[in-house]
Amino acid sequence: SQTIHQWPATLVQPVGSPLSLECTVEGTSNPNLYWYRQAAGRGLQLLFYSVGIGQISSEVPQNLSASRPQDRQFILSSKKLLLSDSGFYLCAWSVGGGLDTQYFGPGTRLTVL
Amino acid sequence: QKEVEQDPGPLSVPEGAIVSLNCTYSNSAFQYFMWYRQYSRKGPELLMYTYSSGNKEDGRFTAQVDKSSKYISLFIRDSQPSDSATYLCAMTHNSGGSNYKLTFGKGTLLTVNP
């Protein structure tokens, strides 16, 4: 069966510090991968998605970036965090080239102070 | 008009009640519909998946799609305190191909009181 991992679970960072969140998927090959941010009252906001290694599409211009160095690894980064980057970050995967049902990881709660 | 509208609630019901959660949408091309359940501080988990119009039942849960009205529903029978969560609807208009994105509602917060 497929599993998706995210770490860390919780993170508190000062404004201006860098960020690196990691997501890995097990039990499937060539998945589509997604990064979302969930803020209170604003629903799920798609940040990036990837259909293959090195292929990243950005949905929202911001100071975040994403990379996919391996087939089942997806990384969300920032060089300098802003207060507005606080939120609940979710990684998700779906079957590559198949149904668009997405399966979510446990999330990372980021607080920028 | 937003693509997907969902009443945020909160919705509070007694244990054993029948719960109805709803979403409306504006894009008539949507044909795949999902419901996710999200417990506090957890990632959303897929609850139901339906294609086009009709009903789908899974235990105490029934998903209903009315494409003519652009309206989807999730019914929970014999609701339990463990059903207390936020319920998100989601939809898309392609299977595979070039569309990989889901459009989500903002979620309805449900509390089932013992």
Side-chain angles (χ1 to χ4, degrees), chain B residues 62-83:
Chain B
T62 300
Q64 195 173 76
V65 175
D66 182 349
K67 290 191 70 181
S68 62
S69 301
K70 298 191 184 68
Y71 189 87
I72 68 170
S73 300
L74 177 71
F75 298 97
I76 307 174
R77 293 183 299 280
D78 188 25
S79 56
Q80 303 295 310
S82 58
D83 295 327

Side-chain angles (χ1 to χ4, degrees), chain B residues 26-102:
Chain B
S26 58
N27 189 344
S28 59
F30 286 143
Q31 52 184 321
Y32 297 88
F33 304 92
M34 293 142 232
W35 285 95
Y36 287 84
R37 177 175 62 195
Q38 185 176 22
Y39 292 114
S40 180
R41 297 182 172 267
K42 303 291 185 183
E45 58 177 317
L46 181 66
L47 204 55
M48 299 284 283
Y49 174 90
T50 53
Y51 168 69
S52 195
S53 287
N55 291 359
K56 184 175 182 179
E57 189 173 319
D58 184 2
R60 297 185 294 111
F61 299 89
T62 300
Q64 195 173 76
V65 175
D66 182 349
K67 290 191 70 181
S68 62
S69 301
K70 298 191 184 68
Y71 189 87
I72 68 170
S73 300
L74 177 71
F75 298 97
I76 307 174
R77 293 183 299 280
D78 188 25
S79 56
Q80 303 295 310
S82 58
D83 295 327
S84 298
T86 296
Y87 290 80
L88 300 156
C89 64
M91 50 199 77
T92 186
H93 54 77
N94 259 344
S95 175
S98 61
N99 181 31
Y100 305 96
K101 304 176 196 177
L102 293 180

Side-chain angles (χ1 to χ4, degrees), chain A residues 9 19 21 27 29 31 37 47 62 66 71 89 93-94 107 110 112:
Chain A
L19 173 73
L21 303 181
S29 295
R37 178 168 56 207
L47 302 175
Q62 59 215 314
D71 181 45
Y89 288 82
W93 73 274
S94 67
L110 171 67
V112 183

